[in-house]
Every structure is written in structure tokens, then in C-alpha cells.
Amino acid sequence: MSPLEPQPVGIPVPNPSVRSREYWDACRRGVLTYQQCSGCGFIGLRSFTVCARCLSHESRRKVSDGRGSLYSWTVVWRAPGPAFVVPYAPAVVELDEGFYMVSAVIGCETTDLTAGMRLEVEFHQVSEEIALPYFAPLMEG
Amino acid sequence: MAHPYHDVAIVGIHNTAQAIELEGHDAESIALVGALGALADAAIEVAEVDGVVGQFAQETVLELGLGPCSRRPNMLGIPAVLEAASMICSGECDVVLISAGGARLHRERSHTAPWTRPANELVVGYGLFTAAEFALMARRHMITFGTTAEHLATVAATIRNNGHDNPEAVYSGRGPFTPQDILASRVVADPFHLLDCAMTSEGGCGIVLARADRAAGCAHRTWMLGAASDSFGPAYTVAPVWDYTPRDGGDNAGNVGARAARTAFRTAGLSPDDVDVCELYDPFSFEIIRQLEAFGFCAEGEGGPFVAEGNITADGKLPVTTDGGTMSFSHAGIAAQQLQRVIRGVEQLRGTTKSHQVEHAEVAMCSNGGSGALFTDVLLLGSDQP
């Protein structure tokens, strides 16, 4: 049995930039946000200056329900550095709003991972400043 | 209309010794050894070089006393070759030197190699590194098309066996390998086992290009038939999504390199059927399966069965990565191993390989990059002037 858990404090953490500060601030409040173009409705995880589809300069951050499906994953047994506890499961999650993001699946066994499994965001503090959005199996109902 | 590369030939190639660790060298010094070796191979004097391309272009200008000299720093692999060719075709230069090397970059073995660890804020906290990024693409292909771990292992065994037979490979004599041997190695990032992944080593290399009239006196001339580069954005910053298709009606990110291959074949006036040998970039076993599909050697989703049928072995219909590639020949960091795909393609067309020479090879396809990094470069080489 290899349960998947959040990483401990001490892993390399994100260094928010002027364009991502709002995203990480929301994460610290336990809220997952994404960017939506005001012109055509195009969405993405990252903030953008210009919409990649219609080139509009008008966009805003919106709150995601934090639910989605497992699009792809890997189970890592050889980490890039000693700070990470293995195994862990980096994943691409397709959020119900229609955008993709890199995260990691927690709260289940490595053998439970299946394509399309329903997931829900769960935040875990990995430094004083950063709460990382992870995804755990969604308990329906 | 004249062919865009009618007036430029590859006239010199060289690989330095490749090893897990090279004593007495750093990346810059071993790249310089590669550069001088390529000039010696071409029998061209240092003083004739009037353009330098590559990761140490400016240092090479200084070390060889070439100033004033044209230079294009920071160009790697196939894009460096394209840059060198354009410097000649535009009339800026007559002889352009490309070099690359890696040494003393990866000695901290508690970590994976430094170039495999991206620092972007949206991925760094999840412990992503190149093997995991590429695994996310491979997994999606397995979900969508039913590609299996055995298919991946077949690729790794094939390329590692090529390296086993190559006296110049870092892992010469390490095999032979069966797909079962690959599957029995420890898991790095599922579905990749250790032996599905590139190794790390040290070494340098160089290539010399010359304008056709200068090349006329050279012993070996290899020609560029077509080339192009595809990118979907910076590597290791956004989710590697197989189905990402930002351009209406365009290729998806999983097939990065498909457009480049179509462009290269169109410029060459050739099709995949005309290719005698494929010197494809092999950072991870799956990437060979993906490239065979994207480049048109088989249909999308059929790369797994294509390799399972034995097509890519050294004696198969389409020999792939015949020197052992980054899995077995060498993987000296960031640039050298990409340029070495081109060097091996040239060796095949010259008929001078020390192992797995493809008889009467006239067209070679070389590639760099991979889906996990969102870019793929393609170069078609030929033994006849286009």
C-alpha cells in the first residue's frame, strides 16, 4: 500500500511574481481561481495580459468550484531532490470550468488512480506564504 | 526556385570522448575540443571560420582568436544547424562552426540533473522534473490509444541494444537488453522505468558547415534537404496537455513536430517512405513512439504496434537512433546530445559509423526535443546536393 499525501514543509516552493500574486493570495484563503477573457470567454489557470484566442486586453480572475477530472498522472518514485517524499502523483487535472492545471493527487492509494476519476481541490500549506492546491478523490453527495 | 539549402554543406563532424565523468574538463573546454575536432575532420583551418554558433559561441571566438567574427550564441541542436546554414545562405559567412559540450554539470547525485528540474512557480511545488513531465504525455497516449508499457520497453531495449553494440557509446557492452529487462528496472516516474529514461554523461561535439563552393574540396559533404521547428510554448511551465490545440484546425501539443515534419518533407520533396534511417531524439522511450506518429511513419495511435512489429530495430524497416542515443551513447546535458543526433545522421550518410551502418543510406531524419518540453525540431539530411 502506498498512500498519497501532501509534501512536507521544506520542498522547493513557488516564488510568486507580480502577475501571479493574486492566484497565490487566493490559494492561501483556500480558493482556486482562474482567468477568463471578458471578450470571448476563453479561460486558463494563469493570468494573461492578452487573450490567446481573441487578443482582447480585458480579462478577470474568477473563482473555480475546484472540481474536475483526472486527465493524466504519473507516480514518482525517484524525486528530483531529497526534500520530496515518494511516492507522489503529479497530475494534470481538467477542471469542470474547462481549464487544465498541474497539481498532485492525494488522499488515495497509487493503485486507485484511474483516468477520469473525479477530484476536488484541497489546499495544504507548504511554507508560510504558500498553500499548494492538491486534488483528492471527490466524495459525491 | 533554387532549394533553400542548395549552397550549404555539412563538411565536418566530431564527437569527443563521451563518459559518465570526464576528468580535466568543464563544459566549455570539452565543447572547444569538439569544435577543433570538427574542423580537423573537415580539413579546414581555424582561420577560415567566420561564423560561430552554439552555447559557447562567444567563448569560442575568444579562445580561437577569431574576432571579428559573426556569432549566434544560445542556439542549441538542430536550430543551431539551421542558424549556421542561414548565415551561409544569406552571404554573411563562408564557414560556420557549431560546438556543444557538457561536463561537471551534474555531480550532486542526491538530485536529478540540474537541467531536468524546472523552477516555474506553477510546477515546482509538485516535484515535477523532466521524467514526470514526459510521463504525463505518455500516460495520456496510453489512455487514449491503448499504448502499453511493453511498447515503451521495446523502444528502450532497441535503442539500448544499439548502444550496447556501439564501441563509442558510454554504455557500450552494457546489454543486450530485452523489453523484460527494461520493465524489471526500478520505476522512476510511472510509466517510465529507469531504463526508459535518458542517462546522464559528459562529452562534447562539433559540426562545420561551409558554402558549397568552399565545400567542393572537402572529403565529405552532407546536405540539408529540409528542416523546421515546432513549439507550443516554454517547457515546464504549463500543464503538458496532449490535446492542447490553441490554433483552430492545428495540430495538438501531443503531436508537436508534425507540422515541422510536413514542412521539412515539403521542402525536400520527399515523404516518410524515402527515409532510410531515423536519428530521433530519445529523452524517454515513449517519445520515439510519438515521433513516429507525428512525423508520418505510422498513423496516430499506431506507434506502439509499429515498434512491437520490429520496424525500428537496427535490421528493421526503419532503424531508429542507431548509436544508442541519450539512453546509451551519451547525454551531456543541454546541447551536445541534441547536436549529436545530426552528427549520427551525417555518419550514416557518409557510411562511416562504427556500428549498425545502414547500407546505402541516402536520406536521414534527425530530431530534437519532445512533447513534455513542448517543442520538436526536425532536420532531413541527404547524401545528394538538393
Side-chain angles (χ1 to χ4, degrees):
Chain A
M1 301 288 271
S2 303
L4 295 167
E5 293 170 358
Q7 293 294 332
V9 170
I11 59 168
V13 294
N15 186 16
S17 70
V18 63
R19 288 189 283 154
S20 65
R21 174 70 58 189
E22 203 178 340
Y23 171 77
W24 291 114
D25 283 350
C27 284
R28 207 163 45 192
R29 300 194 309 272
V31 176
L32 184 68
T33 59
Y34 64 100
Q35 196 82 5
Q36 181 164 42
C37 170
S38 306
C40 71
F42 176 79
I43 60 173
L45 176 69
R46 295 176 310 132
S47 64
F48 47 81
T49 309
V50 177
C51 173
R53 185 188 285 162
C54 76
L55 305 183
S56 165
H57 283 65
E58 302 297 323
S59 67
R60 61 197 174 104
R61 287 210 78 76
K62 297 190 66 173
V63 173
S64 166
D65 280 346
R67 293 181 174 190
S69 304
L70 185 56
Y71 176 84
S72 191
W73 72 92
T74 175
V75 178
V76 173
W77 292 90
R78 197 294 190 224
F84 289 95
V85 176
V86 296
Y88 59 93
V92 175
V93 180
E94 185 176 9
L95 277 296
D96 289 350
E97 288 87 0
F99 66 93
Y100 295 93
M101 66 181 286
V102 167
S103 182
V105 181
I106 58 170
C108 62
E109 299 289 328
T110 57
T111 48
D112 293 336
L113 298 168
T114 54
M117 76 186 283
R118 296 290 293 156
L119 300 166
E120 187 166 38
V121 73
E122 200 179 291
F123 292 88
H124 288 274
Q125 210 73 30
V126 290
S127 73
E128 212 165 285
E129 189 187 20
I130 298 293
L132 269 189
Y134 285 88
F135 281 82
L138 174 64
M139 304 302 167
E140 299 280 2
Chain B
M1 195 179 90
H3 188 282
Y5 300 123
H6 174 77
D7 289 327
V8 57
I10 297 172
V11 294
I13 52 171
H14 184 67
N15 282 316
T16 71
Q18 314 285 314
I20 296 295
E21 292 188 0
L22 283 172
E23 288 314 311
H25 277 291
D26 62 15
E28 194 181 312
S29 70
I30 199 66
L32 196 62
V33 174
L36 292 170
L39 285 170
D41 177 64
I44 288 180
E45 299 293 329
V46 169
E48 279 196 68
V49 175
D50 55 2
V52 181
V53 182
Q55 57 180 156
F56 301 115
Q58 289 151 166
E59 291 80 0
T60 304
V61 170
L62 179 67
E63 294 292 331
L64 299 183
L66 293 173
C69 178
S70 299
R71 88 280 182 258
R72 302 283 198 277
N74 304 324
M75 304 296 295
L76 307 178
I78 288 172
V81 176
L82 299 185
E83 189 68 23
S86 75
M87 291 162 79
I88 291 170
C89 294
S90 66
E92 181 180 351
C93 299
D94 292 330
V95 176
V96 179
L97 176 61
I98 310 170
S99 70
R104 304 199 73 81
L105 300 172
H106 178 35
R107 296 283 171 98
E108 193 187 2
R109 297 289 172 163
S110 64
H111 291 72
T112 58
W115 61 83
T116 70
R117 291 180 263 135
N120 179 269
E121 58 178 303
L122 292 178
V123 302
V124 67
Y126 300 113
L128 284 176
F129 64 121
T130 49
E133 294 267 359
F134 278 79
L136 291 170
M137 282 295 201
R139 169 85 58 194
R140 190 63 201 177
H141 195 272
M142 295 167 87
I143 293 167
T144 306
F145 300 110
T147 308
T148 66
E150 288 75 16
H151 291 149
L152 274 54
T154 299
V155 172
T158 301
I159 292 176
R160 285 177 180 279
N161 285 339
N162 291 346
H164 167 74
D165 295 330
N166 180 358
E168 295 176 337
V170 171
Y171 283 169
S172 180
R174 279 281 188 109
F177 297 92
T178 66
Q180 286 66 40
D181 295 328
I182 309 300
L183 294 170
S185 63
R186 64 184 167 84
V187 176
V188 171
D190 179 45
F192 296 144
H193 297 75
L194 180 68
L195 297 182
D196 283 301
C197 306
M199 48 86 151
T200 57
S201 58
E202 301 184 347
C205 60
I207 296 185
V208 179
L209 284 77
R211 214 176 57 216
D213 52 357
R214 175 62 186 83
C218 294
H220 295 287
R221 288 170 294 161
T222 304
W223 305 90
M224 297 166 62
L225 305 183
S229 294
D230 273 356
S231 167
F232 279 79
Y236 319 133
T237 60
V238 295
V241 176
W242 181 274
D243 296 294
Y244 172 57
T245 311
R247 193 184 281 270
D248 288 340
D251 299 320
N252 57 28
N255 282 299
V256 60
R259 186 201 70 128
R262 290 193 299 270
T263 303
F265 280 123
R266 188 176 66 234
T267 303
L270 298 175
S271 75
D273 286 343
D274 297 310
V275 175
D276 299 309
V277 57
C278 271
E279 295 299 343
L280 305 184
Y281 194 64
D282 60 330
F284 300 95
S285 55
F286 167 71
E287 283 299 309
I288 298 298
I289 290 172
R290 187 197 74 76
Q291 290 177 83
L292 291 167
E293 298 175 8
F295 298 164
F297 294 103
C298 62
E300 186 178 34
E302 292 178 9
F306 185 84
V307 301
E309 288 159 13
N311 288 305
I312 67 165
T313 59
D315 56 357
K317 194 173 77 179
L318 186 70
V320 166
T321 314
T322 59
D323 58 355
T326 68
M327 292 192 192
S328 184
F329 173 66
S330 192
H331 181 201
I334 298 148
Q337 81 284 1
Q338 301 195 66
L339 208 54
Q340 282 165 338
R341 290 297 91 230
V342 181
I343 291 173
R344 183 64 177 187
V346 171
E347 286 176 343
Q348 282 286 2
L349 298 184
R350 287 181 173 187
T352 57
T353 67
K354 293 195 172 64
S355 62
H356 295 308
Q357 177 63 47
V358 175
E359 295 298 319
H360 312 298
E362 293 176 353
V363 176
M365 186 174 205
C366 309
S367 69
N368 286 170
S371 63
L374 298 181
F375 79 95
T376 296
D377 310 309
V378 173
L379 171 62
L380 286 168
L381 296 174
S383 50
D384 292 331
Q385 185 175 17

